[in-house]
Amino acid sequence: MAAGSFEGQYVWSPAADDRALARACMDVRTGRYLSAHEVLKESREDFEVRAHRSLVLASVAADSDLAERWLAEEPGPEAALLWARVAMLRALRMADAGDRRQGALARIAQSACERAAKLLPKDPTPWVAQLALTRLDRPQDPAPKGLLTAPAGPWYLFAHILRLDPWHREAHHRFLSFFFTRYGGSSGASWDVAAFLSQRAPATSPLRLLPLVALVEDYNPSELLADRTWEQPQWIATAMGIYRNWLPQMAGYRFTPVLDLAYLAHALFMAKREFEAREVFTAMGPYASRMPWSAFGDPEEQLTRARRSCGLPVPHDG
């Protein structure tokens, strides 16, 4: 199903319209890894696609022994990368569940990331997986000049990744999440980092969305007029700038960037800019992501409410 069309149901698959990735995910579910090898190898020179594909494949493989089996049977850069991603996800899940095994799994994941990084030194993806793990051991490197709160964090590792790929999307999001309150950071630090990183990025970059991600993360429905926050001039200006400068870049994307589009559509909807939000929803087609909608309630209900307010079809309408 092509993005830009809507045939009555949401498609929640993170593979979205990357058909090769969707097929590889199906194969991984049945215990086969050949197509996973193909989609990862094909993306060696496209770091954004490689990061996305490896994370989606790992989310499918994490509950099986496929990654370990692949690494044992046919070791190589792609097998090592998937194992690093799987080990990363398992460690983070254990930490979020408060499981005492998280320390051992974090060490396994760190070793897996180092192995993958050695096999393809120019690939930032294993380093991004290491960056995701830093919220478990909380490194405290000093912040560079230019941040009001000067929050300590994994700045040295982040700087290494930026030397490999200055605008790596996942690296920026992982780094920002280190400063979220739920992981031991603070609202002030996450606001500060989001503003610092987004202002560095080109106007046409999806990294301009980072303050909107921090805004959703900081949302507290018990606060007075919490839902009116997006109507403040600074947030309208932020969302409209992204709409004008980034959305037209979509034509050059290999696959639909569903999560980034969802954050933009949500911000425009909350700012009561339904005309612009409608255009973003249309660009998403049937593809849906749970965030940012799940921060406000049931994601399908929230998405349906927003689409309906923009005059767009929703499931079960007809």
Side-chain angles (χ1 to χ4, degrees):
M1 191 185 297
S5 64
F6 184 80
E7 297 181 10
Q9 295 296 328
Y10 302 130
V11 178
W12 296 94
S13 167
D17 53 349
D18 184 342
R19 293 179 180 174
L21 176 59
R23 286 193 295 270
C25 287
M26 290 177 61
D27 284 350
V28 166
R29 289 190 183 94
T30 60
R32 298 189 297 251
Y33 53 74
L34 178 60
S35 54
H37 176 268
E38 290 172 351
V39 297
L40 290 178
K41 187 174 182 180
E42 184 269 333
S43 62
R44 278 189 187 182
E45 302 301 318
D46 190 330
F47 298 144
E48 293 295 334
V49 172
R50 189 169 175 84
H52 174 66
R53 284 178 168 180
S54 61
L55 186 59
V56 172
L57 287 166
S59 69
V60 176
D63 295 324
S64 72
D65 68 346
L66 179 131
E68 295 94 321
R69 185 162 49 81
W70 180 10
L71 193 62
E73 292 174 359
E74 294 186 27
E78 280 62 50
L81 178 59
L82 186 68
W83 167 233
R85 288 296 223 169
V86 164
M88 175 205 85
L89 286 179
R90 289 175 182 169
L92 295 178
R93 287 177 184 177
M94 285 294 177
D96 292 342
D99 194 296
R100 66 182 65 180
R101 292 172 291 174
Q102 65 164 302
L105 286 174
R107 288 189 292 274
I108 290 170
Q110 183 70 28
S111 175
C113 291
E114 291 169 0
R115 177 177 180 169
K118 286 177 182 174
L119 290 174
L120 279 180
K122 292 183 179 179
D123 180 10
T125 321
W127 299 99
V128 174
Q130 286 189 54
L131 185 62
L133 294 167
T134 58
R135 67 175 169 87
L136 307 183
D137 61 1
R138 308 294 301 172
Q140 298 292 298
D141 310 330
K145 294 179 180 179
L147 287 96
L148 294 172
T149 59
W155 290 97
Y156 298 156
L157 176 55
F158 185 54
H160 175 74
I161 295 169
L162 298 190
R163 285 192 290 271
L164 296 171
D165 186 359
W167 310 116
H168 196 284
R169 182 197 174 280
E170 186 185 340
H172 282 75
H173 282 265
R174 294 287 186 188
F175 186 70
L176 175 60
S177 71
F178 176 92
F179 299 97
F180 288 168
T181 304
R182 59 180 155 137
Y183 297 141
S186 69
S187 290
S190 63
W191 284 117
D192 202 5
V193 170
F196 177 75
L197 297 180
S198 67
Q199 287 163 11
R200 287 176 63 253
T204 54
S205 170
L207 297 178
R208 290 294 181 120
L209 284 157
L210 289 169
L212 299 180
V213 174
L215 191 61
V216 170
E217 180 66 24
D218 214 36
Y219 174 72
N220 182 355
S222 66
E223 288 183 357
L224 188 65
L225 301 177
D227 286 356
R228 302 291 294 275
T229 302
W230 284 262
E231 295 177 45
Q232 295 175 10
Q234 71 182 97
W235 299 119
I236 293 176
T238 298
M240 289 299 294
I242 298 162
Y243 167 79
R244 284 192 297 267
N245 297 311
W246 173 66
L247 189 63
Q249 305 299 313
M250 277 272 302
Y253 277 54
R254 290 179 63 183
F255 312 110
T256 305
V258 178
L259 187 57
D260 288 336
L261 288 169
Y263 272 97
L264 178 55
H266 170 265
L268 291 167
F269 162 68
M270 295 292 281
K272 300 193 178 338
R273 297 298 179 112
E274 281 91 353
F275 175 84
E276 291 84 0
R278 178 189 175 97
E279 190 175 341
V280 181
F281 280 126
T282 300
M284 291 170 67
Y287 301 108
S289 62
R290 304 202 179 278
M291 285 294 287
W293 313 106
S294 59
F296 302 82
D298 177 80
E300 182 160 359
E301 290 176 5
Q302 295 294 317
L303 175 57
T304 293
R305 182 170 73 94
R307 284 182 61 95
R308 187 176 280 128
S309 80
C310 294
L312 288 168
V314 298
H316 315 302
D317 257 16

